[in-house]
């Protein structure tokens, strides 16, 4: 395989994500950059690394840092509380690398555990299957942003989303698409009218996404299927009132529950 070497300054790291890939028993480590690296004619704002979950460094031969003194390492980064890495580490390779990146960059390491979103397809993860620009991948609904992995790696903060429009279902297709309207350019390369389309989403996952965007993230949502259901319910209620002298409105449904900057769509680099 052809190998490509590229460099970027530590200060260019914006944040790092460590996310599971339940389809292949692997974990993604995504390093998001403030300034892109250039590989050929392409610019990459996100470096995507994938590691098998069983890839580990044994205790007998641990990874060792160039700085072998723990006190010196803590002093270098500003204190023990700012240093998740150790001078010797063994175990999961992706976790070791994540600790090293977090230590040297002093930027957030974000995961999926605090999201709160759960899909129908992946019950234990905030993930739905999707397609973007004809490429199949995974769409992660995280706490502060939505992230598609991995080609092209795309990060959209919820704060940048103006509205979500779901496609009306029809025929025998088991999947739908939705369009994300972005109201501002997070990375400076997107126009305010940018529309991102994600297709191939299972219908049962669409219901999960609708609730997530509408109720939890307070984003304007247009969903013809759900909106039509609301209209049908209202019409049934009116017919009931006409048929009986004393209609009971208690059966009327309200589908709206009372529950509770890093947008880039450039190519990704993966190893």
């Amino acid at each position: 395989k052809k190998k490509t070497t590229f460099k970027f300054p530590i200060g260019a790291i914006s944040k790092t994500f460590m996310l599971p890939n339940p389809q292949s028993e692997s974990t993604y480590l995504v390093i998001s950059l403030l300034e892109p690296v250039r590989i050929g004619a392409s610019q990459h704002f996100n470096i995507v690394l994938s590691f098998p979950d069983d890839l580990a460094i044994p205790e007998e031969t641990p990874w060792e840092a160039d700085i072998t003194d723990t006190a010196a390492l803590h002093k270098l980064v500003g204190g023990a509380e700012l240093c998740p890495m150790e001078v010797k580490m063994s175990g999961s390779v992706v976790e070791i690398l994540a600790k090293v990146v977090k230590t040297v960059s002093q930027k957030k390491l974000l995961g999926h555990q605090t999201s709160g979103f759960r899909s129908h397809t992946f019950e234990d993860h905030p993930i739905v299957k999707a397609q973007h620009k004809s490429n199949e991948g995974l769409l992660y609904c995280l706490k502060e942003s939505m992230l598609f992995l991995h080609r092209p790696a795309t990060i959209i903060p919820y704060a940048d989303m103006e509205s979500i429009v779901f496609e009306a279902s029809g025929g025998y297709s088991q999947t739908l698409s939705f369009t994300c309207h972005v109201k501002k350019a997070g990375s400076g390369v997107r126009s305010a009218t940018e529309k991102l389309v994600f297709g191939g989403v299972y219908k049962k996952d669409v219901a999960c996404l609708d609730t997530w965007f509408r109720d939890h993230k307070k984003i304007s949502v247009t969903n013809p299927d759900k909106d039509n259901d609301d209209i049908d319910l209202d019409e049934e209620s009116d017919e009931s009132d006409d048929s009986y002298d004393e209609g009971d409105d208690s059966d009327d449904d309200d589908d709206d529950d009372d529950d509770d900057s890093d947008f880039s769509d450039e190519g990704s680099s993966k190893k």
Side-chain angles (χ1 to χ4, degrees):
K1 293 183 178 180
K2 181 181 179 180
K3 294 183 178 180
T4 302
T5 300
F6 54 89
K7 298 180 180 180
F8 56 87
I10 294 298
I13 297 177
S14 170
K15 58 177 68 72
T16 305
F17 300 88
M18 190 167 71
L19 303 169
N21 181 354
Q23 295 187 122
S24 63
E25 296 184 351
S26 61
T27 299
Y28 286 121
L29 187 66
V30 183
I31 302 174
S32 183
L33 305 176
L34 296 170
E35 299 292 335
V37 295
R38 183 179 293 276
I39 301 177
S42 301
Q43 294 188 107
H44 303 270
F45 280 88
N46 302 291
I47 310 301
V48 182
L49 308 174
S50 180
F51 299 86
D53 289 339
D54 59 0
L55 183 62
I57 297 177
E59 293 183 2
E60 297 77 15
T61 56
W63 173 86
E64 297 185 17
D66 290 338
I67 300 177
T68 58
D69 182 70
T70 300
L73 178 61
H74 291 171
K75 183 179 180 180
L76 180 65
V77 300
E81 68 280 0
L82 301 176
C83 185
M85 67 173 284
E86 302 172 8
V87 295
K88 290 185 179 182
M89 291 188 289
S90 59
S92 169
V93 170
V94 66
E95 292 183 4
I96 291 174
L97 183 56
K99 290 178 180 179
V100 172
V101 173
K102 179 175 173 59
T103 299
V104 299
S105 68
Q106 289 298 296
K107 297 296 175 63
K108 291 181 178 180
L109 173 62
L110 304 173
H112 69 287
Q113 295 85 353
T114 60
S115 167
F117 175 84
R118 290 296 179 269
S119 72
H120 183 270
T121 303
F122 300 105
E123 295 180 355
D124 296 330
H125 303 289
I127 304 169
V128 300
K129 288 184 177 180
Q131 296 176 352
H132 183 44
K133 295 187 176 181
S134 301
N135 294 315
E136 294 185 354
L138 298 175
L139 193 62
Y140 296 78
C141 293
L142 306 179
K143 186 176 181 180
E144 301 295 336
S145 60
M146 187 171 68
L147 193 158
F148 177 81
L149 292 176
H150 79 72
R151 291 183 178 174
T154 306
I155 303 173
I156 317 173
Y158 298 122
D160 287 2
M161 296 183 188
E162 186 175 58
S163 63
I164 299 291
V165 179
F166 288 98
E167 171 192 27
S169 63
Y172 297 98
S173 175
Q174 297 300 310
T175 62
L176 297 175
S177 66
F178 72 92
T179 301
C180 178
H181 296 256
V182 181
K183 65 183 178 181
K184 65 179 181 179
S187 65
V189 298
R190 290 287 173 182
S191 65
T193 58
E194 183 67 23
K195 300 177 182 179
L196 298 179
V197 179
F198 298 92
V201 180
Y202 289 123
K203 289 182 178 179
K204 291 184 178 180
D205 285 333
V206 167
C208 301
L209 289 170
D210 185 298
T211 300
W212 177 251
F213 292 132
R214 189 191 301 261
D215 299 335
H216 294 273
K217 295 305 174 184
K218 308 303 179 183
I219 298 170
S220 175
V221 175
T222 299
N223 186 342
D225 292 338
K226 183 170 183 177
D227 295 342
N228 289 338
D229 287 344
D230 291 342
I231 293 173
D232 292 342
L233 287 170
D234 290 340
E235 291 176 349
E236 290 174 3
S237 175
D238 292 340
E239 292 175 0
S240 176
D241 290 343
D242 291 339
S243 302
Y244 299 92
D245 292 334
E246 296 181 358
D248 186 359
D249 293 335
S250 63
D251 291 336
D252 290 352
D253 291 332
D254 182 2
D255 286 337
D256 291 334
D257 297 332
D258 293 329
D259 300 335
D260 175 42
S261 51
D262 290 352
F263 171 48
S264 62
D265 193 18
E266 293 70 25
S268 65
S269 177
K270 179 187 175 187
K271 291 186 177 180

